Amino acid sequence: MTAQRYLPISEHGLIGDLRTAALVGTDGRIDWFCCPRFDSPSVFGSLLDADKGGFWEIAPLCEIAARHQFYFPDSNILITRFLTTDGIVEVQDFMPIVRERDPDHQQRLMRRVVNVRGSVRMGVRFAPRPDYGRERCTAEEVGGGVRFTSPSVRLALSATVELSVSDGDARSSFDLEAGRTELFALEVLGEGEEPEAAGSESEELLDADRLFDATVEFWRRWLAKSTYTGRWREMVHRSALTLKLLTHEPTGAVIASPTLGLPEQVGGERNWDYRYVWIRDAAFSLYALLRLGFTQEAEAFIGWLTDRFASGTNGDLGPLRVMYSIDGDAELTEIELDHLEGYRGSRPVRVGNAASDQLQLDIYGEIIDSVYLYNKYGEPISHDTWTNLCSMLDWLLEHWDREDEGIWETREGRQHHTFSRLMCWVAIERMVRMARQRGLPADLGHWTTVRDEIYHQIMDRGWNAERGAFVQNYATPVLDASLLLMPMVKFISPNDPRFVSTVDAITADLVVDSLVFRYDPEQAPDGLDGAEGTFSICSFWYVEALARCGRVEEARLALEKMFTYANHVGLYAEEIGLTGEQLGNFPQAFTHLSLISSAINLDRALS
């Protein structure tokens, strides 16, 4: 059956090198890996097609009694343990961090196989299928390893055990005796690059030890900058480490997720490519990292964003697009990979994202709010950045009252979304604050007039007296969980009767045991077939809204329940199904940044 050929989405951990990332299953299989970048075509993609996608598996050949997976403490090094009647084996997976100042080291994915007890027969199969499974590699044994070549990639696999080549794949089987460690290293070769010269087995193992230690040191040194000392340190820090993994260090871009095509409903059509920079997601990620004291990431992203400001107005869509590639390209043509069956038969499998052509006015509030926080807690913004922000605001002051597709990127047509109006208000309000705090040049009279006009419009048209709640758009009485953010962005007091009533309505209609649906698609058609799970970011927003309303014990219980839906290493996909399964792309930046925010604010409320 199709389901038996795929691990659950939750049965994976993530490793990466701040350029790309790989998913490692609890079965010892790397079933998702794009190289050399997050948005490159996959080399291993059996997560989306068990037969055609490609994988790299290292696992015992004997019967496995139990499998466990965890992160080496305070790092992004993933360890998978196999417990068998013959013994215990660890597979230690990591990607050394390649810095721009250290160009001699090529991009590598390291897998150390360590004997813990007994003697275990191990099997290895390295089956690359580049370009989303559309290419096959030629394999050549060279210098104690194997070189793989296809039209799009060149790879070099080395090992401390003997490898054999068959039909373009590399295989090995070996006995892992007591006290033994074997090493497998994959190098991603650029144009004209050759694999690093292989040394003796002892030299290769020593080099792997050095890279392991250096990788641990990198992650621990980075995490030591965190200022969080609250009650949920382990979950908050794992979320921070995950957000850092989703950062493309050479450009400063922050992607939404390292995967594509993982379904919001198994067998359904809501399967998107999230390997891009959503302005909204990146802005919220910036906010979360700033709250933890990570100002360097904020500075890098501000630099990336400044280049987007310089690109000018995109006609009808304004000065910013909803999303960009890592390099800042706004043209993300969406196509379907018809040759892939999709995760557990979930088709279509899409590459690119047509939402890049949507108008979503809320992004201006999110990005300006993040710049405001960076200006406050990081470094004062430059004259050029302020000038660019003012130009962007000039456009928004003229266009804030337009219909748009909204935060949830529906494909049913544009509406007057309440959340979009809310974030337009935030954009102007934060610009007013920065101008007053820094004495920066600004047309404060005009700005505050428009700001107040938006405020009154939301109160008049976004409030539905019959529902006793703020609603999704001006034309319907549909509830929307995004409006839980109203007090968090300082638009309304959390104890205002209108907001309290909105929370009560959302609790009654959209909440199931702390899990929150973003809206009811039966009441508000979104242009897509099928259902979806609860949105984890909305569940964490709900925690924060309860805390701000003074319902602290309810908030704490909801947060503890949400922690039980994390996978075994503390990661979350975009959604949670009704039986608790992870759904959607994995892991999702949106979810982890909202976890950080809710934990920090609940800590404050409890204190």
Side-chain angles (χ1 to χ4, degrees), residues 347-533:
R347 303 183 70 185
V349 177
R350 297 180 175 92
V351 170
N353 201 305
S356 61
D357 293 325
Q358 290 188 354
L359 176 67
Q360 298 174 23
L361 292 169
D362 66 285
I363 64 174
Y364 296 97
E366 287 130 8
I367 199 63
I368 291 178
D369 192 29
S370 293
V371 173
Y372 162 76
L373 291 170
Y374 175 70
N375 180 72
K376 184 176 181 179
Y377 297 112
E379 295 293 330
I381 59 173
S382 67
H383 166 76
D384 289 341
T385 299
W386 178 251
T387 300
N388 287 326
L389 288 174
C390 288
S391 297
M392 186 170 68
L393 190 67
D394 287 341
W395 182 90
L396 188 63
L397 292 168
E398 295 294 324
H399 295 87
W400 66 267
D401 203 18
R402 295 172 57 185
E403 296 179 326
D404 72 345
E405 277 85 3
I407 181 176
W408 304 127
E409 301 177 350
T410 60
R411 300 193 178 191
E412 186 68 10
R414 294 180 179 179
Q415 302 284 343
H416 288 290
H417 288 101
T418 305
F419 183 77
S420 297
R421 295 292 187 278
L422 171 69
M423 298 312 292
C424 288
W425 177 90
V426 169
I428 303 171
E429 199 275 338
R430 299 307 189 268
M431 289 290 285
V432 170
R433 285 195 189 194
M434 282 191 283
R436 286 175 172 165
Q437 290 169 356
R438 293 269 310 276
L440 296 168
D443 187 353
L444 290 177
H446 180 47
W447 291 5
T448 55
T449 297
V450 177
R451 179 198 64 187
D452 295 348
E453 183 181 352
I454 298 173
Y455 177 91
H456 289 300
Q457 186 188 95
I458 293 172
M459 287 300 185
D460 292 341
R461 301 178 64 190
W463 170 257
N464 186 292
E466 292 184 8
R467 291 303 304 265
F470 291 102
V471 291
Q472 184 179 80
N473 64 68
Y474 296 167
T476 73
V478 174
L479 299 174
D480 193 305
S482 66
L483 298 175
L484 292 168
L485 284 175
M486 282 183 147
M488 302 176 209
V489 298
K490 314 299 185 187
F491 177 83
I492 193 171
S493 164
N495 296 315
D496 188 295
R498 289 193 175 195
F499 183 71
V500 173
S501 180
T502 300
V503 172
D504 289 339
I506 288 174
T507 301
D509 284 19
L510 299 182
V511 180
V512 180
D513 191 37
S514 83
L515 300 176
V516 182
F517 291 93
R518 52 183 182 168
Y519 56 85
D520 184 347
E522 292 186 4
Q523 295 183 35
D526 55 16
L528 296 165
D529 293 330
E532 61 185 16

Side-chain angles (χ1 to χ4, degrees), residues 175-197:
D175 292 313
L176 193 66
E177 305 292 347
R180 287 286 299 175
T181 295
E182 303 294 355
L183 174 67
F184 298 82
L186 170 64
E187 292 181 62
V188 180
L189 304 177
E191 186 175 352
E193 292 181 339
E194 294 298 324
E196 293 190 359

Side-chain angles (χ1 to χ4, degrees), residues 22-40:
L23 289 185
V24 185
T26 54
D27 58 358
R29 176 178 291 209
I30 296 177
D31 55 13
W32 184 255
F33 176 57
C34 300
C35 68
R37 307 192 329 172
F38 294 108
D39 56 357
S40 300

Side-chain angles (χ1 to χ4, degrees), residues 163-461:
L163 299 169
S164 63
V165 174
S166 174
D167 193 26
D169 297 345
R171 302 172 186 262
S172 181
S173 57
F174 58 94
D175 292 313
L176 193 66
E177 305 292 347
R180 287 286 299 175
T181 295
E182 303 294 355
L183 174 67
F184 298 82
L186 170 64
E187 292 181 62
V188 180
L189 304 177
E191 186 175 352
E193 292 181 339
E194 294 298 324
E196 293 190 359
S200 66
E201 177 181 309
S202 60
E203 288 174 333
E204 291 191 37
L205 289 172
L206 284 172
D207 187 52
D209 289 343
R210 179 184 61 80
L211 289 172
F212 184 97
D213 293 341
T215 305
V216 171
E217 181 186 3
F218 170 84
W219 290 115
R220 289 183 173 176
R221 188 170 62 248
W222 180 81
L223 192 59
K225 299 175 185 177
S226 171
T227 58
Y228 181 77
T229 58
R231 295 165 175 80
W232 298 286
R233 183 176 180 274
E234 183 175 349
M235 294 300 294
V236 167
H237 280 176
R238 177 48 53 195
S239 290
L241 285 164
T242 303
L243 290 179
K244 180 64 173 176
L245 270 181
L246 301 182
T247 302
H248 186 254
E249 190 178 59
T251 62
V254 182
I255 65 167
S257 179
T259 61
L260 67 90
L262 293 181
E264 297 176 10
Q265 178 190 30
V266 174
E269 67 166 328
R270 299 168 185 259
N271 319 313
W272 315 110
D273 187 350
Y274 277 8
R275 301 169 303 156
Y276 305 117
V277 185
W278 265 255
I279 291 294
R280 178 187 306 108
D281 297 44
F284 279 137
S285 297
L286 187 65
Y287 165 80
L289 291 171
L290 278 170
R291 294 293 300 274
L292 297 176
F294 296 109
T295 57
Q296 185 175 352
E297 286 69 27
E299 181 180 2
F301 179 69
I302 292 296
W304 181 91
L305 185 65
T306 299
D307 292 336
R308 308 290 78 73
F309 291 153
S311 63
T313 300
N314 300 292
D316 179 65
L317 297 178
L320 283 182
R321 298 290 285 271
V322 174
M323 71 184 81
Y324 297 87
S325 73
I326 290 168
D327 291 330
D329 186 359
E331 300 302 322
L332 305 176
T333 303
E334 184 177 299
I335 63 171
E336 297 179 2
L337 301 178
D338 295 331
H339 66 288
L340 297 180
E341 73 171 358
Y343 176 81
R344 293 176 57 187
S346 302
R347 303 183 70 185
V349 177
R350 297 180 175 92
V351 170
N353 201 305
S356 61
D357 293 325
Q358 290 188 354
L359 176 67
Q360 298 174 23
L361 292 169
D362 66 285
I363 64 174
Y364 296 97
E366 287 130 8
I367 199 63
I368 291 178
D369 192 29
S370 293
V371 173
Y372 162 76
L373 291 170
Y374 175 70
N375 180 72
K376 184 176 181 179
Y377 297 112
E379 295 293 330
I381 59 173
S382 67
H383 166 76
D384 289 341
T385 299
W386 178 251
T387 300
N388 287 326
L389 288 174
C390 288
S391 297
M392 186 170 68
L393 190 67
D394 287 341
W395 182 90
L396 188 63
L397 292 168
E398 295 294 324
H399 295 87
W400 66 267
D401 203 18
R402 295 172 57 185
E403 296 179 326
D404 72 345
E405 277 85 3
I407 181 176
W408 304 127
E409 301 177 350
T410 60
R411 300 193 178 191
E412 186 68 10
R414 294 180 179 179
Q415 302 284 343
H416 288 290
H417 288 101
T418 305
F419 183 77
S420 297
R421 295 292 187 278
L422 171 69
M423 298 312 292
C424 288
W425 177 90
V426 169
I428 303 171
E429 199 275 338
R430 299 307 189 268
M431 289 290 285
V432 170
R433 285 195 189 194
M434 282 191 283
R436 286 175 172 165
Q437 290 169 356
R438 293 269 310 276
L440 296 168
D443 187 353
L444 290 177
H446 180 47
W447 291 5
T448 55
T449 297
V450 177
R451 179 198 64 187
D452 295 348
E453 183 181 352
I454 298 173
Y455 177 91
H456 289 300
Q457 186 188 95
I458 293 172
M459 287 300 185
D460 292 341
R461 301 178 64 190

Side-chain angles (χ1 to χ4, degrees), residues 540-562:
F540 286 116
W541 286 345
Y542 182 62
V543 170
E544 191 164 345
L546 289 174
R548 289 177 181 268
C549 288
R551 294 155 63 174
V552 177
E553 290 305 317
E554 289 181 62
R556 186 170 188 175
L557 179 60
L559 183 62
E560 294 291 353
K561 285 182 177 180
M562 277 304 298

